[in-house]
Amino acid sequence: MTELPILSLVTFLPLAGAVVLLFLDQDNPGLLKAWALAVSVVTLVVSLPLWAAFDPSQAGMQFVERIPWIEGLGVQYYVGIDGISLFLVLLTTFLSVICVVSSWGIEKRVREYMLFFLLLETGMIGALVSLDLFLFYVFWELMLIPMYFLIGVWGGKERVYAAIKFFIYTMVGSLLMLIAILSLTYVNYRTTGVLTFDLLELYRLPLAPNVQYWMFAAFALAFAIKVPMWPLHTWLPDAHVQAPTAGSVILAGVLLKMGTYGFLRFAMPLFPNAAHDFAPFMMALAVIGIIYGALVAMVQTDVKKLVAYSSVSHLGFVMLGLFAFNLQGVAGGLYQSLNHGISTGALFLLVGVLYERRHTRAIADFGGLCKVMPNYTAVFIIITMSSIGLPGLNGFVGEFLIMLGAFGASKPAAVLAATGVVLSAAYMLWMVRRVFFGPLEKEENQGLADLNKLEWGYLLPMVLLTFWMGIYPGPFLRKMDATLEGWLAHLEQKRVACEALARPDLLALLKGAPGEGAAR
Amino acid sequence: MTLALFVVFAVLAVAGAVGVILCKSPIHSAMSLVGTMVALGVIYLLHHAEFIFVVQLMVYAGAVMMLVVFVIMLLDLRAEGEAEGRLTGPKAFGLLLGGLLGALLLVPLAARLTGLTGDMTTDALVRVGSVEFLAGKLFGEYLLPFEIVSLLLLAGLVGAVTIAKKRL
Amino acid sequence: MLEYIWLIPFFPMLGALINGLAGRRFPKGVVNAIACGSIFLSFLVSVGATISLAGLPAEERFYEQILFQWIAAGTTSIDLGYLLDPLSSVMILVVTGVGFLIHVYSTGYMSHDPGYNRFFTYLNLFCFAMLTLVLGNNFLVLFVGWEGVGLCSYLLIGFWYEDAAKAAAGMKAFIVNRIGDFGFLLGMFLIFWEFGTLDFRTVMEQAPTTLVVGGALVTAITLLMFLGATGKSAQIPLYTWLPDAMAGPTPVSALIHAATMVTAGVYMIGRTNVLYSMAPTTMAVVATVGALTALFAGAIAITQNDIKRVLAYSTVSQLGYMFTAMGVGAYVAGIFHLMTHAFFKACLFLGSGSVIHGMHDEQDMRHMGGLRKYMPHTHWTFLIATVAIAGLPPLAGFFSKDEILWKAWDHGFKAQWLLGFIAAGVTAFYMFRLVFMTFYGKEKFDHHHVHPHESPASMTGVLWVLAGLSVVGGWVGIPAALGGANHFHHWLAPVLDAPSLEATHAAAAAASVGGVAWAAGAGADAAHHDPAEYVLMAASVLYVLAGISLAWFLYLARPELPKAIAAKVKGLYDLSYNKFYVDEIYQAVFVDGCLALATFLWAFWDVVVIDGAVNGTGKVVRSLGGGLRQLQTGRVQGYALTFLFGAVAVAAYFAVQAAF
Amino acid sequence: MTFEMADLRLLAPHIAVTVTALLVLLVEAFSPGRRKGYLAYLSIAGIAVAAFFTPGLFGPQVLGFSGMLAGDGFAAFFYFVLYAVGVMTLLASEGYLRDERMEHGEYYALVLLALVGMMLMAAATHLLVFFLALETMSIAIYALAGFLRSDRNTEAAFKYFLLGAFASGFLLYGIALVYGACGTTQLHGIFKHFAEARGLTTSPMALIGIGLIIVGFAFKVAAVPFHAWTPDVYQGAPTSVTAFMATGVKAAAFAAFARVFFTAFPAVHEVWSPLLWVLAVATMTYGNLVALAQTDVKRMLAYSSIAHAGYLLVGITVGTAGAGTGILVYLLAYAFMNVGAFVCVIMLGRFGQENTDLDAYAGVGFRFPTLGLAMSLFLFSMMGMPPTAGFIGKFLVFKAAVDEGFYWLAVLGVLNSAASVYYYLRVIIYMYFREAPEKPAVEGLRGGASGTLAAVLAGAGVLAFGLVPGWAVRLAQEAVKHLA
Amino acid sequence: MMIPLSYALTLSAILFTLGVVGVLTRRNIIVLLMCVELMLNAVNLSFVAFAHHLESAEGQLYVLFVIAVAAAEAAVGLAIVVALNRSRKTVYADEVSLLKG
């Protein structure tokens, strides 16, 4: 391979930057921040050619790099992107820059903060580009650690509880997924005689539907926790509320997408029969999540928690789209993943701005802010509108495609999901009214400053993106098309092929109930 | 005859063992233990393990128990207090488990030996004598264990010294 | 000219962008010029485009312009495109025309408001959205405009955000509209999965072959879309937001909540009339809801004292007429009324704005009276518009409303006709009650504090233009029965009465209960004049006059009577005065119910059940650990005991294994 | 068969270490000074010499000393694990002993003697050699546990000794029964007997013998319910010795466990496997549960080591070559991460005050960033987080379980791992998420350059085997080939 | 006449059990030590008996080595007793319980 290994560069630049950070002067926060910014910007710049050079007509993996890693286990360093991961990678590099900028106000332990941020970026990108299950798992878990620290060290009052909840919730899921990975590779080994974690190889492995059920369940659990799907969502509000602003942005913007990405990349194409058979169940959970998240968001008294619950609702939409099993739904789901990253990310940034000024996020502490912070209000309302899916802004495109797809798959699900449209307007606008409108009564709020240049600096790109992605989504959707069509075709093809397979008696394969071995 | 002797010394050995765990005074226990050891030595003899018999008497019943008794005297240990005699819950449980263990250890008796496997036949012993035979083994086949034991004793020595010495 | 139709929405958007981003730094004059200029430019383009359109042969009067592909997923492709045909040409003319007038009016009305540039930004933005709505070439673009106008409505109702109630009204408007959108979206999905596209022209062309007349699918589609319409156009059951929407500045009420946005639902039905015609059940529902709303809102308007609220309920009522028209299949009549209503209701609202302006923001009619001598222009224009809405010939309202009632009768919707007919008298009554209470009789305001004065020329000028339109606006649609040419009908016929659909109409009507007569009448509309038409016309004129007389009697001749009557039928009066408590019922059932459910889900399900399970597991595990920890007593013989226990267990296990 | 010169090749590493031990004792006896730190480096030099002789052992299995000692990849692999443990322990001990004012050559000699015992355990192919090696190691460790002579030291030594001797009795009884059943205690000989004599697989003598041998192993590896000594002894012993015990003893015990059971008793795998299944589950669950309730870091690590024994028992239960690979790599990882963690614990203490209470760790992470980083690394490795060595070990063990259809075992294993996260994270919480009090218990770091070096070595190992585990995995795979 | 193997093994089991029971029931550390010795002795008996019946020297050699081990253990054990007595002033096992939980 003579080409530049762009993916590896994008993945490991932040890590290299983090290592350098270790050797920079701890007492010079300006330098540390500048360095972190430089690293993230360079990463973003390096990642942009991915978009430009991405061939939208090709369904397969592009920018592939493949080196053996642990030969005895068939583990490879194998990365590549397709239309599914392309934009998530770009979203990650983009949001990382935004986050570093938005963290300019951090004063406590700047070096460690930036270090964890860059580490997190490596973890996220790595997980998105991995095409080897082992490699993926490594990055997948690697993401946890920096996030754990970001919440735990720079978080709010209940940060310890939130951090540990976040960590253990995720860990339980991913460990069960690890078992499924092991089983999968073993079955592959038994079938083909090759021990490999190569995802694309494993795609081709025919699996009896009942075997798929179990493996899918394990994968789905891990990803559903990450998404998070109802009823596995309760770590999210805590984590979001306690995390520092940039942490929330990354959490909402990218980490949650790892869950949906996991479904797209792993759980569904590896186990299409299971995905297909469980689809009603998953859709039901998604719909419950949509409505439940929205309802619970409505009665929150803390702005950040409200936004967090709104994420539950929005991610419900994404999941609904994925399990619609049609191009509209899946494309919508993927697109909505990006949108949610932008709009909810921006919402968290906005809440952070407010928190920095007032050190409270309780809705009751505000009111009438529009008078003193007109620009802020304007941005907030734009993002709100994006979040509730106003046509012309990004949220709508995704939501529309999702519901369109879902409607084709299951009318009741789509009908119920569409109530989310009403509810999201209700909780967001009610919050907006209470925070920004009405008389400016609280004295503490009288002197609040409007957005400053730095805040404009990181909010403006987000706002522009909401418009761009809402008005002219073509450049995004077009690059997903071929991949998703191939994806759906693969799903269907493999599903049909596997349907015919004999279903082994799983209990007979099970070993290790005590006493059983001796009985034979 | 052998059998009768075995039974007699077996009873003695058990009596000694019971003495070890029943005697209130440690010195009595030690004496009982010596009794058991001697009885066992005789039983070894009955099994044609003359060399072991000697070692048992000299090293075990002699040297080791001497050391024990010495320490008992050194620390001026008397009979144990009131608590010793009482049967507490854990003790009862211990007795019960001990009984169970004893029963389980009898289970192997159900097995038959699969046959002769060794070269220490009466024949060979008559030819070279048991001590010589063992010595040959010890310095031939069993050289490695023998060397390890020297290490073990060194470790025991150094260990005992480091622990027992007031200041190093 | 047609290829420039994209400019029609573009100009206001540009205006909104400029004023929105930089308006704060401009002097007011510049803001004015940008706002009014941009909408005026679109008006000019609209006129030009309409003339070009008129130049084409009747059956080729449409022009579609695709700007770019908007949403695409595989073969699904939805374009952002504009469609100009006679129907949308009427709409853009109304929107840009009335819109321009109201912009001009606002320059006077809002001149002292600190949020001047913000106001015009929103107003321009609204025009952009509304124009997108009416020009959209597919359902989704229509929906973009649909939501866009909702957003602007939200922003403008809550324009004076410092008043919590006003902000709440904006929010209410948006959310209630969203309920309607819910239906609209679902309707769209049904269409998409049936037709594979959302293009108006394709759908309308394929509908007769793809759908079954009176079938469940088309009924579902149309009913869901109608749900959207009830939200946007304030029909039962989603009308409650509109009266509250009067919290916004009066020009907004005039433009958005009277002349344009609220008629979007009517326009939408007109746009998709092919589908509606195939769904007789829906038609009956639409007609009934429309007629009921017309009467119901009128019944509330009778007792209201807030000048804008009366007008708001009147708007709801008039919209009800329009829906009745759509429901009975008289699409042209519906659109006709839409247009005339835009003129006179804008005039009324702006007049009321002028009154409020002159009365220092007083809105309660009980504190007015005798204003005609202080503000003659306002008075005269207001009176003209009132006559127009009451439906006296030859003013605009007469022709449009009468056509609706006649068509309802003629198409066999007798019950709906009756409701509408009653409502006509009620309308006359409450509108003249308004006029009498405001401009006539005793001066009931406090002379020390309130010095009523006429508004500036920029406002009265606009009033006169609109009053003029209220007079002549109906003349384009004088029915043949009265010897008119009914240009309006002919203009819209290619869209709303496509000949190819005649057969479908007939079949649909045959399937419908009330539509037998209509089936006969549909084809021969223009040629045949039923004598009943004249009888009904006369009856309604007399009836309206009776209503006016009653108003005169109660509020000018015997002003003490209303109170007495109110006291006598207190129950009924309170019911009407309190808007039949619908808001309260909605609040209790839906809002409070929703919040209670949400609180339950959060406080109980989330915190107690799920987190309880999660934390509970943790707690149980940890206390288990704490309990097991107690086993570690520190006594070595205890350890030996557990050891022995284990050894016995292991030995026992192997003993058992050996035994078997 | 008698002694041949060629056998010395197998014994060269042991001889090197033994000679070093004797040398240390000699130097100690004749050197007047109080500073004896250099003896640690002398010992390390000895280990280096041993390491020099070790690579030659990789390759096909060679039996020496009448089939009592094996020279094979398996043994060599463990030698290297033990060298690593030894070197790190010695490095850490040097500064630790200086700080505790207990610099004595006997300490290093005992460490080396124990090391020889451990190495012999890993290589023993005869139960007698194994037993003697075990005792050599144990006796040295008993003494080391009480080395600093504090109350806790002595108590630890006492408890370990008494229970150790008690367990030896059971182990020996088991060996006797196996001897009785087979007539030999050479592992391959036992295997042959099991293979030939059909009755042996159900012989009560053989089976109960195996059972009692399991009891003996279970005690050494600290499996529930034979674990009770572990927390007390680990907590009471000098921390450097704890590190040595936790890793070296465990590695040696598991090496012997694997060798004995994979070489001698595979014929009855179906009999002992279910029992070990239960032991494994009980061990990891108990270890994790009680670790959750600990507030003392050292004691918490002791319970965590019980849990780790549980995961390792999974490997024994499964009993395949893959499982063997898992055990080897796991122990390699475990050696680095656990010694590392204990070294960090040492560094945070000071003379007369160990500072092992969690409260003492408040804010430590930011006050001592490198130490915090290292400790976090070790803890994450123990959790099994990639890309650390701990993950690779767990991965291989669970992979072996899954491959053989032991799904429940794997599931319970990972659920346990998830639970364990809580107490490992708690240390991190204290280190990073809490601010240090006004007058922190930890004033500075001790252990000196050697301690730091030990921590760095451990950290490097944890990372290296996490990031490029390929060659270690391959060595382990090769090593277990000669086992059966 | 040969002593039946089962006789010796039974005796061995009894002695071993008595040793175990002693470890569990006595308090005095030195007695505990002696009980452990008793257990080792019991095992030795098994070895000797097996050696005799198998005509194998290994059993006897085991006994030799075990005696050596026992001696070393006794030395270390007694040293610990002395050390305990010095630091805790007790020879009772149940009083040595500083470390627990």
Side-chain angles (χ1 to χ4, degrees), chain A residues 1-9 50 53 62-65:
Chain A
M1 214 167 46
T2 51
E3 302 154 45
L4 199 64
I6 298 187
L7 281 183
S8 293
L9 266 179
L50 292 176
Q62 305 184 27
F63 304 100
V64 170
E65 296 166 37

Side-chain angles (χ1 to χ4, degrees), chain A residues 167-435:
Chain A
F167 201 101
I168 293 186
Y169 241 115
T170 319
M171 194 83 180
V172 169
S174 34
L175 281 169
L176 288 176
M177 174 172 76
L178 179 63
I179 294 196
I181 292 177
L182 292 173
S183 326
L184 178 67
T185 51
Y186 182 68
V187 174
N188 183 60
Y189 173 68
R190 289 287 299 271
T191 316
T192 64
V194 181
L195 180 59
T196 180
F197 289 80
D198 180 335
L199 183 66
L200 302 187
E201 286 293 321
L202 294 170
Y203 273 173
R204 285 196 278 274
L205 174 69
L207 279 172
N210 62 335
V211 177
Q212 288 189 22
Y213 292 161
W214 287 99
M215 295 188 186
F216 177 81
F219 271 82
L221 180 70
F223 297 136
I225 287 173
K226 204 81 166 188
V227 167
M229 293 185 81
W230 186 89
L232 304 168
H233 64 281
T234 58
W235 62 271
L236 184 71
D238 286 307
H240 265 321
V241 171
Q242 300 305 331
T245 298
S248 293
V249 174
I250 286 289
L251 191 57
V254 185
L255 285 198
L256 303 191
K257 308 304 138 47
M258 289 297 167
T260 54
Y261 171 76
F263 275 103
L264 267 172
R265 173 71 78 225
F266 303 98
M268 295 170 80
L270 281 172
F271 318 112
N273 300 66
H276 180 265
D277 296 353
F278 285 176
F281 176 69
M282 301 300 286
M283 283 178 112
L285 288 187
V287 167
I288 292 174
I290 292 171
I291 298 174
Y292 186 96
L295 279 176
V296 176
M298 210 178 289
V299 289
Q300 294 306 315
T301 53
D302 179 304
V303 187
K304 216 173 173 188
K305 212 159 187 174
L306 187 148
V307 179
Y309 273 109
S310 86
S311 285
V312 175
S313 186
H314 283 143
L315 270 297
F317 270 111
V318 177
M319 292 311 298
L320 185 66
L322 298 193
F323 279 90
F325 283 103
N326 50 38
L327 196 58
Q328 291 85 359
V330 179
L334 186 54
Y335 198 61
Q336 187 67 352
S337 290
L338 305 178
N339 294 329
H340 178 260
I342 302 288
S343 56
T344 305
L347 275 178
F348 279 121
L349 288 172
L350 286 163
V351 175
V353 167
L354 212 51
Y355 185 76
E356 239 170 63
R357 291 181 179 29
R358 282 279 279 110
H359 295 285
T360 171
R361 287 182 292 245
I363 294 176
D365 288 341
F366 300 109
L369 293 189
C370 184
K371 193 168 175 63
V372 283
M373 310 172 75
N375 293 334
Y376 177 80
T377 310
V379 174
F380 202 106
I381 289 181
I382 291 173
I383 300 295
T384 299
M385 289 298 154
S386 148
S387 165
I388 66 182
L390 191 82
L393 297 174
N394 58 352
F396 176 72
V397 180
E399 227 170 71
F400 174 76
L401 280 172
I402 288 170
M403 286 194 285
L404 189 63
F407 199 87
S410 157
K411 290 191 174 57
V415 171
L416 288 171
T419 61
V421 172
V422 181
L423 294 173
S424 69
Y427 66 76
M428 286 306 286
L429 293 184
W430 194 31
M431 183 267 281
V432 165
R433 177 175 83 67
R434 284 178 293 167
V435 172

Side-chain angles (χ1 to χ4, degrees), chain D residues 24-217:
Chain D
V24 167
L25 281 175
L26 272 175
V27 173
E28 161 68 22
F30 296 103
S31 75
R34 287 192 52 112
R35 312 302 303 263
K36 299 281 174 53
Y38 57 88
L39 290 178
Y41 300 107
L42 177 61
S43 309
I44 291 170
I47 292 176
V49 173
F52 173 76
F53 290 116
T54 310
L57 298 176
F58 284 106
Q61 190 175 48
V62 180
L63 292 181
F65 297 100
S66 318
M68 286 185 183
L69 196 71
D72 55 8
F74 184 82
F77 190 94
F78 273 104
Y79 291 172
F80 276 113
V81 172
L82 294 169
Y83 297 155
V85 169
V87 167
M88 287 187 289
T89 306
L90 288 165
L91 282 174
S93 305
E94 195 259 334
Y96 178 53
L97 292 185
R98 188 173 351 111
D99 195 65
E100 293 287 340
R101 306 176 182 33
M102 282 295 281
E103 287 184 273
H104 296 289
E106 288 89 342
Y107 178 92
Y108 302 112
L110 284 170
V111 168
L112 291 175
L113 286 174
L115 197 63
V116 178
M118 292 169 185
M119 288 160 68
L120 286 167
M121 279 170 78
T125 48
H126 192 285
L127 288 179
L128 178 59
V129 173
F130 156 67
F131 177 73
L132 293 174
L134 176 84
E135 286 297 322
T136 310
M137 171 190 82
S138 299
I139 284 176
I141 300 265
Y142 301 150
L144 282 172
F147 194 80
L148 294 185
R149 307 139 171 279
S150 68
D151 283 3
R152 292 178 159 212
N153 270 198
T154 320
E155 178 169 336
F158 161 64
K159 284 179 172 169
Y160 195 21
F161 166 75
L162 187 77
L163 290 168
F166 190 62
S168 292
F170 283 85
L171 176 64
L172 202 57
Y173 208 119
I175 293 175
L177 291 178
V178 169
Y179 168 62
C182 303
T184 178
T185 54
Q186 207 281 335
L187 300 183
H188 301 93
I190 296 173
F191 173 78
K192 223 181 291 163
H193 275 272
F194 270 94
E196 284 164 6
R198 293 226 179 80
L200 219 50
T201 54
T202 55
S203 154
M205 190 176 287
L207 290 185
I208 295 218
I210 293 174
L212 292 178
I213 290 177
I214 287 181
V215 169
F217 275 119

Side-chain angles (χ1 to χ4, degrees), chain D residues 443-465:
Chain D
E443 285 163 357
L445 296 180
R446 69 167 168 185
S450 62
T452 312
L453 184 60
V456 168
L457 278 180
V462 166
L463 269 184
F465 293 116

Side-chain angles (χ1 to χ4, degrees), chain C residues 223-579:
Chain C
L223 273 178
L224 285 168
M225 293 254 160
F226 178 59
L227 179 61
T230 59
K232 191 90 342 189
S233 298
Q235 294 298 292
I236 292 173
L238 299 179
Y239 70 91
T240 55
W241 63 272
L242 187 57
D244 288 8
M246 296 305 132
T250 307
V252 171
S253 309
L255 179 60
I256 301 185
H257 305 122
T260 54
M261 183 190 87
V262 288
T263 61
V266 181
Y267 164 77
M268 187 269 293
I269 295 185
R271 175 56 73 206
T272 58
N273 65 83
V274 176
L275 299 177
Y276 276 85
S277 299
M278 296 178 71
T281 316
T282 312
M283 293 294 267
V285 170
V286 173
T288 310
V289 167
L292 274 176
T293 310
L295 184 57
F296 181 79
I300 297 173
I302 291 175
T303 56
Q304 299 304 310
N305 292 320
D306 183 314
I307 186 167
K308 282 182 77 180
R309 251 175 210 279
V310 174
L311 289 177
Y313 280 107
S314 139
T315 306
V316 176
S317 174
Q318 295 299 312
L319 288 165
Y321 276 113
M322 294 177 215
F323 278 101
T324 312
M326 300 325 253
V328 301
Y331 304 117
V332 177
I335 300 297
F336 188 29
H337 195 59
L338 183 159
M339 183 180 79
T340 59
H341 175 256
F343 298 148
F344 55 69
K345 187 51 69 61
C347 184
L348 286 171
F349 263 115
L350 295 182
S352 77
S354 176
V355 168
I356 295 165
H357 199 71
M359 290 290 291
H360 305 289
D361 296 332
E362 177 61 72
Q363 299 196 180
D364 193 332
M365 297 187 296
R366 285 170 300 187
H367 301 143
M368 295 177 183
L371 289 179
R372 71 179 188 278
K373 68 175 184 222
Y374 296 101
M375 28 184 90
H377 294 292
T378 309
H379 163 237
W380 281 112
T381 51
F382 203 94
L383 192 62
I384 292 168
T386 307
V387 175
I389 193 176
L392 285 180
L395 274 65
F398 168 74
F399 297 109
S400 54
K401 190 194 282 183
D402 217 62
E403 192 179 346
I404 293 172
L405 288 174
W406 161 243
K407 288 283 162 64
W409 175 273
D410 189 37
H411 291 180
F413 293 88
K414 295 291 192 303
Q416 286 86 343
W417 170 83
L418 184 62
L419 288 170
F421 186 75
I422 297 171
V426 174
T427 308
F429 173 76
Y430 69 71
M431 281 312 299
F432 273 91
R433 168 180 176 265
L434 171 73
V435 171
F436 294 148
M437 282 180 82
T438 311
F439 293 100
Y440 296 82
K442 260 201 291 196
E443 296 174 8
K444 283 167 282 187
F445 49 87
D446 182 352
H447 283 275
H448 298 293
H449 299 297
V450 183
H451 309 285
H453 57 83
E454 186 56 282
S455 301
S458 64
M459 289 162 69
T460 51
V462 169
L463 287 177
W464 277 111
V465 174
L466 284 168
L469 283 170
S470 305
V471 176
V472 302
W475 298 351
V476 296
I478 299 173
L482 291 180
N486 210 345
H487 295 291
F488 196 73
H489 192 129
H490 293 303
W491 175 246
L492 288 177
V495 188
L496 298 181
D497 262 341
S500 65
L501 288 174
E502 286 304 328
T504 335
H505 278 233
S512 137
V513 183
V516 185
W518 169 40
D525 206 20
H528 171 76
H529 303 301
D530 196 322
E533 189 172 353
Y534 299 106
V535 176
L536 291 179
M537 225 180 265
S540 81
V541 170
L542 287 175
Y543 174 53
V544 164
L545 284 173
I548 297 170
S549 311
L550 184 66
W552 171 81
F553 179 71
L554 288 178
Y555 291 90
L556 279 184
R558 305 279 300 277
E560 70 285 357
L561 258 184
K563 263 194 190 140
I565 297 172
K568 219 163 196 175
V569 288
K570 193 168 184 325
L572 274 177
Y573 179 82
D574 282 353
L575 212 56
S576 164
Y577 185 76
N578 288 314
K579 305 155 238 167

Side-chain angles (χ1 to χ4, degrees), chain A residues 161 165 169 230-231 233-234 292 295-296 299-300 309 327-328 370-371 375 385 388-391 396 400-401 403-404 407-408 415 418-419 421-422 425-426 429-430 432-433 437-439 470-473 477-478 481 485 518, chain C residues 24 68-76 78 140 143-144 147 151 154-155 161-164 167-168 171 174-175 178-179 182 185-186 188-190 192-193 198 594-595 597-599 601-602 605-606 610-611 614-615 653 657:
Chain A
Y161 172 73
K165 198 170 172 182
Y169 241 115
W230 186 89
H233 64 281
T234 58
Y292 186 96
L295 279 176
V296 176
V299 289
Q300 294 306 315
Y309 273 109
L327 196 58
Q328 291 85 359
C370 184
K371 193 168 175 63
N375 293 334
M385 289 298 154
I388 66 182
L390 191 82
F396 176 72
F400 174 76
L401 280 172
M403 286 194 285
L404 189 63
F407 199 87
V415 171
T419 61
V421 172
V422 181
L429 293 184
W430 194 31
V432 165
R433 177 175 83 67
F437 300 149
I471 295 170
Y472 194 55
L477 290 173
R478 276 283 158 243
D481 249 7
E485 268 171 33
Chain C
R24 232 176 305 167
F68 54 83
Q69 189 186 45
W70 184 24
I71 297 179
T75 54
T76 310
I78 296 161
L140 204 64
F143 190 69
V144 172
E147 290 279 285
L151 169 72
Y154 162 75
L155 293 170
Y161 55 82
E162 282 173 75
D163 182 340
M171 185 183 85
F174 198 99
I175 295 171
R178 273 269 161 152
I179 299 174
F182 162 77
L185 269 175
L186 293 177
M188 253 197 303
F189 297 151
L190 274 175
F192 179 85
W193 286 105
L198 290 173
C594 210
L595 287 179
L597 175 65
T599 312
L601 287 179
W602 179 41
W605 192 253
D606 231 47
I610 301 181
D611 256 359
V614 171
N615 295 337
Y653 169 79
Q657 291 299 323

